[in-house]
């Protein structure tokens, strides 16, 4: 028998991390189903984190509606839901540590100043790195971002990004005082012990930033799997912004079967008549990550 490596023994911890900007639509159901099946297939834990970090973008009641929809679809999470809105103290502590160690710095450049200076659009040029912007005026906090990041995504293939050239020093806390997604997601995945992140490929481009920040914080690096995105007929990602219709809590099976097909699995026609329990038993027993297609497609 081959010797077990440390990694073979590490318990699998996955998660689903919706933002409560509206009800769950088919695109987010695909991400939930994919990450749930992967976790169950690995006999792992599946955590739920509510990413309620940006109140102006949130919709009252959406967080509760998302939880109800997951339950109605038989997507049972393990343990308590983590709410990012309750974790500002933790984000502040990490951010202050990064500032103290000189890995992050304050930046008071306006959008207009940046646009006038930046050569490639949207990539911050590091102007405030050595300016020692004081803590009293309005300012963002940015992370020093340099180096090449490589990782292997089992669905999307090998990935690499040069942080300096393709991203620039990115924001950890915005000038309006809100913590950035990139900071919260890394701190939370670290604190929750997440071993693998399974999510939509709209976030593929964020993974290198997250791996870089994990390194600076001395956190272990989880695996990354990015699932294909469901697009509307105009070729846009289904989202709350383009008013994707919510999935129907009263008829979970048709959406679940469609989500399985979207993920390249082959549910038999009889599954349409199954109970939720039978559906999940079949889906877990037949899950094949190798069948998940890479490319985003029009749903329905
Ligand atoms: N909250 C993010 C979203 O709803 C997902 C974050 C993640 O999975 O890393 O798009
Ligand atoms: Zn600046």
């Amino acid at each position: 028998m081959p010797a077990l490596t440390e990694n073979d023994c590490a318990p699998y911890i996955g998660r689903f991390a919706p933002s409560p900007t509206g009800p769950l639509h088919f695109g987010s159901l695909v991400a939930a189903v994919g990450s749930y099946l992967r976790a169950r297939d690995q006999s792992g834990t599946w955590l739920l984190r509510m990413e309620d970090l940006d109140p102006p973008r949130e919709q009252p009641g959406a967080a509760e509606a998302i939880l109800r929809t997951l339950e109605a679809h038989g997507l049972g999470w393990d343990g308590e839901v983590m709410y990012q809105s309750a974790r500002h103290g933790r984000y502040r502590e990490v951010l202050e540590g990064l500032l103290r160690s000189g890995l992050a710095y304050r930046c008071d450049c306006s959008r207009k100043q940046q646009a006038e200076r930046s050569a490639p659009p949207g990539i911050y040029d590091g102007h405030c790195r050595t300016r020692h912007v004081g803590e009293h005026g309005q300012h963002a906090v940015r992370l020093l971002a340099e180096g090449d990041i490589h990782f292997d995504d089992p669905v999307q293939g090998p990935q690499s990004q040069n942080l300096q050239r393709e991203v620039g020093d990115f924001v950890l806390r915005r000038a309006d005082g809100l913590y950035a997604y990139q900071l919260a997601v890394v701190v939370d995945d670290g604190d929750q012990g997440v071993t693998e992140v399974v999510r939509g490929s709209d976030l593929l481009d964020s993974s290198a930033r997250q791996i870089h920040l994990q390194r600076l914080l001395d956190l272990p690096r989880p695996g990354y799997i990015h699932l294909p995105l469901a697009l509307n007929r105009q070729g846009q990602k289904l989202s709350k912004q383009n008013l994707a219709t919510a999935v129907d809590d009263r008829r979970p099976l048709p959406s679940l079967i469609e989500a399985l097909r979207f993920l390249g699995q082959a549910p038999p026609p009889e599954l349409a008549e199954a109970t939720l329990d039978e559906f999940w038993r079949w889906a877990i027993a037949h899950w094949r990550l190798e069948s998940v297609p890479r490319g985003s497609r029009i749903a329905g």
Side-chain angles (χ1 to χ4, degrees):
M1 198 174 105
L4 288 175
T5 66
E6 200 185 329
N7 227 4
D8 291 324
C9 302
Y12 181 102
I13 303 181
R15 50 58 156 196
F16 177 55
S19 304
T21 51
L24 205 77
H25 53 74
F26 182 72
S28 17
L29 183 70
V30 167
V33 167
S35 70
Y36 178 82
L37 284 172
R38 173 72 173 163
R40 293 291 174 249
D41 182 58
Q42 301 291 302
S43 311
T45 301
W46 191 62
L47 303 177
L48 188 61
R49 184 166 75 228
M50 197 54 72
E51 301 211 318
D52 51 354
L53 203 60
D54 191 349
R57 288 188 54 230
E58 285 155 24
Q59 202 185 81
E64 297 72 29
I66 290 172
L67 300 184
R68 274 200 309 275
T69 297
L70 293 171
E71 278 171 343
H73 286 75
L75 286 152
W77 57 90
D78 297 305
E80 302 274 311
V81 180
M82 177 185 270
Y83 288 87
Q84 290 190 327
S85 54
R87 289 179 46 80
H88 288 188
R90 177 76 178 119
Y91 305 144
R92 182 177 325 117
E93 170 185 275
V94 172
L95 194 77
E96 281 168 3
L98 289 165
L99 280 164
R100 266 197 310 276
S101 52
L103 296 169
Y105 62 91
R106 299 186 193 91
C107 161
D108 60 1
C109 299
S110 68
R111 230 174 266 256
K112 184 157 172 279
Q113 287 167 332
Q114 283 178 60
E116 282 163 5
R117 280 197 320 261
S118 266
I123 296 177
Y124 185 70
D125 62 357
H127 181 74
C128 291
R129 274 188 180 194
T130 52
R131 283 185 58 234
H132 306 290
V133 172
E135 58 187 300
H136 295 299
Q138 224 196 25
H139 61 266
V141 175
R142 292 182 179 275
L143 186 71
L144 291 176
E146 282 178 3
D148 288 300
I149 304 282
H150 305 281
F151 65 99
D152 212 348
D153 181 317
V155 171
Q156 303 295 329
Q159 306 292 320
S160 61
Q161 198 171 49
N162 178 276
L163 290 171
Q164 214 165 330
R165 224 177 26 248
E166 298 175 60
V167 180
D169 294 346
F170 55 93
V171 170
L172 299 180
R173 196 183 64 208
R174 294 168 9 188
D176 60 8
L178 292 180
Y179 292 98
Y181 157 70
Q182 306 292 359
L183 174 71
V185 81
V186 167
V187 172
D188 292 349
D189 284 338
D191 286 351
Q192 294 188 290
V194 169
T195 59
E196 190 175 71
V197 171
V198 181
R199 59 186 174 192
S201 60
D202 51 330
L203 293 165
L204 184 56
D205 188 54
S206 285
S207 298
R209 269 170 268 189
Q210 294 170 16
I211 290 169
H212 175 63
L213 180 53
Q214 279 150 15
R215 276 194 192 154
L216 298 181
L217 294 173
D218 246 337
L219 292 169
R221 180 202 286 206
Y224 286 95
I225 296 181
H226 291 87
L227 302 172
L229 291 185
L231 307 176
N232 66 16
R233 304 211 169 271
Q234 287 73 48
Q236 302 157 319
K237 175 198 166 197
L238 290 186
S239 72
K240 292 124 194 177
Q241 287 72 35
N242 59 41
L243 304 176
T245 39
V247 290
D248 186 349
D249 290 357
R250 290 159 310 179
R251 294 182 66 241
L253 269 188
S255 317
L256 286 170
I257 289 174
E258 201 183 329
L260 265 195
R261 292 221 167 89
F262 192 85
L263 289 168
Q265 315 298 302
E270 313 84 79
L271 212 58
E273 314 301 326
T275 64
L276 263 185
D277 274 355
E278 288 163 350
F279 169 86
W280 284 114
R281 258 200 304 280
W282 186 93
I284 295 166
H286 295 87
W287 170 252
R288 280 176 53 89
L289 183 66
E290 311 77 70
S291 303
V292 176
R294 189 162 159 243
S296 300
R297 304 187 310 288
I298 293 173

